[in-house]
Amino acid sequence: MIGKWQSLVIDCEDPDTLAAFYQELLGMDRIQEHEDWISIGDATGRPGVDFQRVERLVRPQWPDAEHPQQMHVDVLVEDLEAAEAEVLRLGAASLNAGSKTFRAYKDPSGHPFCLVLT
């Protein structure tokens, strides 16, 4: 092993809004907060998700290869219908893709993520 995973860093134009979205989605707390950077996680010192301000975000246009998804987060859920209603309420948008076991969405900054049935 070379090292240990610290965090996933997501570029966005509004770290506060995107951090709030993922806090609700993942049930995490804010661990650090600065003007251009917010970290959420289970506890200080454990892997988490960071949101970094960029001036001009080039949004993915999944599944368009000219503007690839770059990364996406899979979130395990017990009920796809209930989870979908909640993420749409939080500001996600459906990408109208998936199957009986997963569905694809984009977060408020346009990054794709999937709800995956446990």
Side-chain angles (χ1 to χ4, degrees):
M1 177 174 74
I2 295 172
K4 294 183 180 180
W5 176 51
Q6 178 183 344
S7 65
L8 169 68
V9 180
I10 300 176
D11 288 349
C12 57
E13 294 168 327
D14 184 353
D16 184 58
T17 297
L18 203 56
F21 174 84
Y22 280 98
Q23 279 179 258
E24 284 277 329
L25 177 64
L26 301 173
M28 293 182 163
D29 297 315
R30 287 197 186 197
I31 304 300
Q32 282 187 334
E33 190 166 357
H34 304 284
E35 182 179 343
D36 294 329
W37 183 278
I38 296 175
S39 299
I40 65 171
D42 311 45
T44 302
R46 292 185 37 96
V49 183
D50 299 331
F51 305 90
Q52 172 178 266
R53 183 183 314 277
V54 296
E55 291 303 315
R56 186 180 155 288
L57 181 67
V58 178
R59 287 173 170 71
Q61 303 294 316
W62 182 87
D64 177 3
E66 291 295 314
H67 302 91
Q69 64 179 323
Q70 302 156 11
M71 68 91 194
H72 76 268
V73 176
D74 285 344
V75 179
L76 289 175
V77 300
E78 293 182 9
D79 181 330
L80 279 175
E81 296 297 326
E84 177 175 75
E86 285 298 305
V87 298
L88 295 175
R89 180 186 64 78
L90 292 172
S94 175
L95 290 172
N96 299 313
S99 69
K100 290 181 179 181
T101 60
F102 81 95
R103 293 184 188 158
Y105 305 86
K106 60 182 176 178
D107 69 24
S109 286
H111 299 289
F113 71 95
C114 292
L115 298 177
V116 180
L117 196 57
T118 57

